[in-house]
């Protein structure tokens, strides 16, 4: 299976609006997803201008599709959708439970 490519916009606006939290995305994902993705930071990808009035930073591109207001939960959800569409068997941990566990790690 080809890895899912994730490009994080780390331009100034996206960085300030939350991309800084996404830079450690691989550390925050469920174990079952970590070996299925390839994450790259990109200097400003100009999505703020292209997506004006449609979405807000931070922006990510997952397998070529642009997403605004990205966060770990929304990226995780999209990764599961992609894997499901490829009929790849994954053990879904409900996202809310997973987020609670993620928050407990930081206590």
């Amino acid at each position: 299976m080809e890895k899912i490519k994730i490009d994080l916009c780390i331009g100034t606006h996206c960085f300030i609006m939350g991309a800084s939290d996404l830079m450690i995305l691989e550390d925050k994902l469920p174990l079952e997803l970590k070996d299925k993705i390839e994450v790259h930071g990109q200097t400003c990808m100009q999505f703020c201008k292209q997506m004006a009035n449609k979405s807000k930073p931070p922006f990510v591109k997952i397998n070529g599709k642009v997403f605004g207001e990205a966060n770990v939960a929304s990226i995780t959800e999209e990764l599961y959708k992609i894997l499901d569409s490829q009929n790849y068997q994954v053990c879904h941990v409900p996202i809310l439970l997973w987020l609670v566990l993620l928050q407990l790690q930081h206590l």
Side-chain angles (χ1 to χ4, degrees):
M1 181 182 104
E2 191 173 316
K3 290 190 175 198
I4 299 168
K5 185 177 179 187
I6 302 172
D7 293 313
L8 305 172
C9 181
I10 53 172
T12 304
H13 196 190
C14 283
F15 190 83
I16 291 169
M17 297 298 288
S20 57
D21 295 332
L22 299 177
M23 295 191 62
I24 55 172
L25 176 67
E26 290 174 283
D27 295 338
K28 295 181 175 185
L29 289 175
L31 287 174
E32 64 186 6
L33 296 178
K34 290 182 181 189
D35 64 338
K36 295 166 184 60
I37 64 166
E38 187 177 299
V39 180
H40 300 277
Q42 305 288 329
T43 55
C44 185
M45 296 191 286
Q46 303 296 315
F47 294 134
C48 295
K49 294 175 185 174
Q50 295 172 19
M51 305 286 284
N53 301 322
K54 295 180 185 175
S55 194
K56 298 178 184 175
F59 292 97
V60 298
K61 189 164 53 170
I62 303 174
N63 280 352
K65 184 177 178 184
V66 178
F67 296 89
E69 301 179 66
N71 57 49
V72 175
S74 65
I75 294 171
T76 302
E77 183 177 345
E78 184 61 26
L79 293 175
Y80 279 124
K81 286 179 187 177
I82 292 169
L83 292 172
D84 283 346
S85 73
Q86 297 173 350
N87 293 320
Y88 192 83
Q89 298 297 318
V90 290
C91 175
H92 291 278
V93 175
I95 290 177
L96 289 176
L97 174 60
W98 175 76
L99 287 172
V100 168
L101 294 173
L102 180 64
Q103 292 299 318
L104 289 175
Q105 289 178 342
H106 295 289
L107 292 179

